[in-house]
Amino acid sequence: MMAKLKVDYQSKIQAMEFVVAADDRFDWTRLDKADIILVGASGTAKTPLALYLGYQGYKAANLPLVPELDFGREKLIDYKAKIIGLTIDEDSLKKHRKRKLLDLGLGLDVEYVTDDRIRYELEYAQRVMNKLRSPIINVTDKRIEKLAFQVKELYRNK
């Protein structure tokens, strides 16, 4: 019993270390080692969800899908079996982004929170996820526990 507990603890610690090191980073070597790769526009709960999954022992990486960020998106197809897309409705994303900027002590007069920019990023992320044929979870108004359950179900059924 003690040996199993120790292994579970060690695997959780390793998974959490992995999640922190893989947060919003395009590191193909790390993606090779990931159990799950969460993708989506900025503000779709990728980081908190990855951390929650890491606590449960999953090596979860997360990648922001930003139109201007060229990281070799075409290479993502090699990882499609690990990818789960995240999306959110426009109004919720706008509220989330505004709150994030205010929490950082920044103003709201930036493109990051405009309706056009949010729509553009969500449409772009949707196109990428569709091209990868990845399952997509809408995170709008869902708790992290519920999202983690959905991700794990998709992971098990891949």
Side-chain angles (χ1 to χ4, degrees), residues 9-157:
Y9 176 76
Q10 287 300 327
S11 63
K12 282 184 180 185
I13 295 299
Q14 290 172 351
M16 289 297 293
E17 288 174 346
F18 178 90
V19 169
V20 171
D23 184 37
D24 275 351
R25 289 190 177 83
F26 295 100
D27 178 342
W28 301 112
T29 305
R30 239 184 216 101
L31 295 184
D32 289 338
K33 297 175 185 169
D35 297 318
I36 298 166
I37 302 169
L38 302 171
V39 300
S42 173
T44 53
K46 295 179 307 299
T47 296
L49 181 54
L51 287 168
Y52 190 86
L53 290 166
Y55 179 74
Q56 295 181 335
Y58 293 90
K59 291 181 179 174
N62 76 78
L63 304 174
L65 297 177
V66 179
E68 295 81 10
L69 188 57
D70 183 17
F71 55 86
R73 287 178 293 272
E74 63 284 345
K75 192 173 178 181
L76 278 180
I77 199 78
D78 296 341
Y79 299 90
K80 85 179 221 178
K82 299 179 179 188
I83 293 176
I84 296 174
L86 303 177
T87 193
I88 190 170
D89 74 48
E90 290 179 29
D91 290 337
S92 294
L93 183 54
K94 186 172 186 174
K95 287 176 193 170
H96 170 78
R97 286 184 174 188
K98 283 183 173 182
R99 189 176 24 218
K100 182 178 182 178
L101 290 176
L102 292 173
D103 288 348
L104 292 170
L106 302 171
L108 299 178
D109 58 339
V110 293
E111 187 181 24
Y112 185 66
V113 294
T114 65
D115 292 339
D116 288 342
R117 179 61 191 193
I118 288 170
R119 189 173 308 108
Y120 176 63
E121 285 188 39
L122 287 173
E123 288 171 356
Y124 168 78
Q126 186 71 44
R127 284 193 308 275
V128 172
M129 293 182 290
N130 287 346
K131 186 174 183 179
L132 294 169
R133 293 191 176 121
S134 64
I136 300 170
I137 298 173
N138 189 318
V139 303
T140 305
D141 297 329
K142 290 185 183 164
R143 296 169 31 126
I144 292 295
E145 298 86 354
K146 170 76 172 173
L147 295 171
F149 177 80
Q150 288 180 274
V151 167
K152 290 185 299 185
E153 285 294 304
L154 290 168
Y155 173 74
R156 287 186 201 115
N157 293 322

